[in-house]
Amino acid sequence: MEVELRGITKRFGPVVANSDVNLTIRPGEILGLLGENGAGKTTLMNILSGLYRADEGEIIIDGKTVDFDGPGDAIAAGIGMVHQHFMLVPVFTVAENVVLGVEPVGALDRLDIEAARRQVTDISTQYGLEVDPNAIIEEIPVGLQQRVEIIKVLFRSADVIVFDEPTAVLTPQEVTEFFGIIRSLRDAGKALVFITHKLHEVLEVADRISVLRAGQIVGEGDPKTSTDAELAELMVGRPVRFTVEKSPRKPGETVLDVKDLHVLNERDEVAVDGVSFEVRSGEVVGIAGVQGNGQTELVEAITGLRMPIEGTIAFEGHDITRASARERHRSGMAHIPEDRQRSGIIGTFNIAENMVLDTYYDDRYSSGINLRWPDIYRSTAEIVTDFDVRTNSVFSLANHLSGGNQQKLVVARELSRDIKMMVASQPTRGVDVGSIEYIHKRIIESRDEGDGVLIVSTELDEIMGLSDRILVMFRGRIVAEFEGGKAGIQEIGLAMAGAGAAA
Amino acid sequence: MAVATDQAATAGRADHAQRRQAMIVGWLLLALAAFVALVFGLDSDGNAIFRLSRPNDPLALPNLVVPAAAYSYIVAAVLAFLGVRQLVRGGSRWTSLALGIGFLLVVTAFLAWAAAGKSGFSLTGMLQATLVRAVPIALGGLAGVLSERVAVINIAIEGMLLAGAFTGALMGSLLGGWGGVIAAIGIGGLFGFILAALVVTYRVDQIIAGVVINIFVLGLTSYVSSQVFSEVRALNNAPVFRAIHIPVLSDLPVVGPVFFQQNIFVYGALIMVAVATYYLFYTRTGLRARSVGEHPRAADTLGINVYRTRYINVTLAGMVAGFGGAWFTLGSVGRFDEGMTGGRGFIGLAAMIFGRWHPVGALAAALVFGFADSLQQKLAILRTPIPSEFLAMAPYLATMVLVAGIIGKARPPAADGQPYVKE
Amino acid sequence: MTVNDRIDKATGDLLKRAVVTRFEIEELVVVPIFAVLIALLLGGLTMVATGVDLPTIGLSYASLLQGSVGSLNAISETLTSAAPLTLAGLGIALGFRAGLFNIGAEGQLLIGGMAAAVVGFSLQGVPLVIHLPLALVAGMAAGALWASIAGWLRAATGAHEVISTIMLNLISFRLVDYLLRNPPIQRPGRSDPISKSILESSELPALLQWLDPNLRIHAGIILTLIVVFVVYWLLFRTTIGFEFRSAGANPDAARYGGMRSGLIIVSVMAVAGALAGLAGANQVLGVLGRASPGFSAGIGFDAIAVALLGRGHPVGVLFAGLLFGALEAGGRNMQVGAGVSIDLITIIQALIVVFIAAPMLVRTLFPFAFAKRGNQREGS
């Protein structure tokens, strides 16, 4: 089945997400769709899978123009999509998730769950994708959840399968395994689209590459001849430096000292299980690991948002294990939270209000309980200018900023005050390349001024580029430590998968 | 794949919070033991006589005679044992069970104390009334389950009950009982549809929409009631459904009067709970509805129409609540009074939470509230030293305590309360 | 131009405020006007449906207008009704801002009013300047404590405040009945539930009785204006208000910012309860002079609509309170003058709020009143 997108344009209000995009997807081929965050890749594929409707242009399948009135139509036409955020119901079983929407039924609309299990098992043996049909989704690891997503698509006999940033949540080993799966699907004659912003992945697995920038196709690439640098320039629109420039570290006093920390998660399970490490002033310590291995809880414990059940945390020699978030804050700890939308900013507040979200009580901004708005506005304007947050006014709502500018707002808020330690969780998630470079630069500057920096990221490239020391977290423990710049991606990847944690 | 699925290893020290809870329950049980011994034990004299049958029942059982003081001391001893066991053993699986048994015992001791030295207390009558009074709450809770399972918070249940009660009386007076019931179901469905339209299509905040429907229904029914019913009394004089005796079964002692001598509302509620359970958990449509409540975007990507599913289920919820509303008029007094639902819809919501968003759970919780309700009614007759106003608070206090106690353990549908914006 | 100058220029540009857009004006002004009109229209249809003839409907709306703004007495009645609605509405609006849905104003009002009544009749020989403030503070304190129960339950156990406040309402009705039926509150020599009368030294002074003894307007309306200002200041000019608003807009971000969510929930409920309690005290000390069962008269429920109509903004709540006060006062006149039940007013009030809360509905119904604007607000 061959699919052609012709002249696709999609607007969200004044924003043009896709502009006159032409793309052909062929059977037995992996098309790499490359573009940075916000380039319009996901929008384009949502149009293909019937979630959105294009304002202009048409979709042509095997020479016939089709009109999708909803995802159901796209599924019926043989188009399947594996979304970046899995579209799985967490409390349902694997079988229930797979058959949802095309369920086998008996009399009285009764769900034939036995038949569903059998069908799931059939598909998984046919394609070599093993999974227990009775397992509850929220209880299985993300790698398996992704398999369920693939089975779901195959179950609907899709001929075209779109993968949106499929490797974001996987370990390097899982990525290799995943590439094996999509190659075998290609060999089975499926047409595959692999959406990513990671250059080396697309070079490794794609048969053909299209590059999307600012909603337009700006070029094609041949994976056999193209280089990283060419593709990157195509993707960003200017030459890109791959490495973060930094001088050798000059570690000083210990700023943060974590000893034998145990932390519970929401479900009262032990998420951090006896973690000890220290961060010195003037060094960047990176924590690598697949999402969900206790990093979130560790950061929350360090920043005072979650109380540990055992162990101690010392900050500049003082025990802060039981200190409130506010106390840690005042003593000079900065925190870039992992999900800016959820906790880093308040979308319906303006930029100034967001800028003082954790400093409003400070003498600079208030006298007693009276807030001094003129001072807040003036100071915000200065910080916004300093940190290159692109906005027209400090009175604009944070919602109206792009993802990159929202993140710069958070970074600006945290770095603009007098700090001794910075805890940054996923500092560049979902951010454009320009903002990534800028944020990385400010983080390294902060280190060079003598702050201790702790970075937690699931992006291995980011950890390897910034860190002076790398710790790997797996199932709540630190399972490996590497010297920055000396560790290879394979070694770290193995540790992320728990290879060193046999003991 | 290297990442295996055993999370048991990390769950090892998870009993931290559990232990604390066990300790709290332990002390609570000890406090209850002291209370029962000191208040009920010292104050009771004479026997409490519980009547299990009515004089003309075919299979009459003898009266249950309990020496009140002695019984109170036994209950206190058992409570103390359970409490100490909690404190010593801590963190065991028996925590909630011990608490449940404890509360049950306290209630029985309370009954013995209240009935001690009086002429006799009809236990069967109270259980029968429990079921009857649980009906509007169970149906309100079921309406809550149906709409919250598709992630629409339904504060409007109170208004739907009131609308059902009003319409039941009006149309019952005009068309007879069955006409009234059908009209009540219809009006409930209409308000369900309106709620769905407001929250799904017009994206009004779910709680605001619910509150406004409540105010609107209260205003409309009160207006018609004072404008029309006060003039034309014939419009507010509906027939009442009598109890249907199911042959043979209704002659059984205790069980017969409680379960098999009830009116259509009791039977209807039980059937609806069964049907709703089957629908939600054993059918294709139910699976789809639940997926809309848990992860609407996932459902949407699979071609399930999120909006339509919400419309249908919230409308169904309204119909269930409308039927429950008819109970107030057609099932008991045959006449509509302003604001006669008295917060039952909200208690129904509490029953839904207590019942963990499951129809059977909601029914079970409704029975607890129904029990509190019928208890206060019977006690008012017994003339206990407790002022009647405080007895009347019992169901509301029970609601607050239960909702406060259960939250955190129960998990609502993941998307509950969130509008779904299709992009 | 030096670097510093350039930065100063950029900074200065950033400090310019955006002009109010046409869309915002429509949302703030046009939608409410149409909401009121369509609600009155539907109210008329309701009367038609219940067999009220057209001349009577005309007479009803005429007496509604006459009774609300048609004379000095009407205005006095409107303001007298508006004061407690606004006070309680401010409390509920404060809750909205902080993400709490307080349905318990009715109960808080009753409890607050009871406390004010007790202080009002029990302190003999105390001058007004001490007695009146004491009675008002007692009302606020009692309302605050009563509401804090729901706040504490929410903060400590997660029990949703909608259910707990409703239950507290139902409990308060019975509690007040009990208190009114027993000494020392029950009026001696009476068997029905009614409190002793408050002493003159605790009355909110009447403002215009020197003009006409029938004018009921009292100092409560001045108190209300002051409270509107105080709530505005609290919400938008203080760190406390900043915390309330942050917790309401994004509780996770508030926690991240080092705010203590439990404390915020309890304080918001306490402040809301204090305002509702003040509304109750206002009724007892300014209008009724005593407490009796159900003296809250649904003000606490109407105040929810007032808060919604006022969009959770203190000034908006004041205007909404005035509108609802006018409807109440006019409604009473309508019941007397045209024989139409005052419950019609509740219907109209509910409809107004529905249409305010669903601006999209109003825009669909009256497309001609609004500027066309593509699908500007759609999309991710």
Side-chain angles (χ1 to χ4, degrees), chain C residues 279-294:
Chain C
N282 173 82
Q283 287 307 86
V284 168
L285 306 174
V287 180
L288 305 166
R290 53 169 176 71
S292 55

Side-chain angles (χ1 to χ4, degrees), chain A residues 8-9 16-23 33-36 38-41 44 210-220 234-235:
Chain A
I8 298 286
T9 300
V16 183
N18 291 138
S19 162
D20 193 24
V21 172
N22 297 302
L23 203 67
L33 184 58
L34 189 67
E36 66 165 321
K41 301 170 301 214
L44 185 63
S210 284
V211 184
L212 200 62
R213 185 197 334 142
Q216 286 174 302
I217 297 282
V218 290
E220 310 263 317
L234 213 49
M235 181 167 94

Side-chain angles (χ1 to χ4, degrees), chain A residues 107-125:
Chain A
L108 283 175
D109 195 44
R110 199 180 63 81
L111 182 67
D112 190 347
I113 197 70
E114 277 310 317
R117 282 179 198 138
R118 262 198 322 276
Q119 291 166 349
V120 171
T121 316
D122 287 351
I123 295 272
S124 52
T125 31

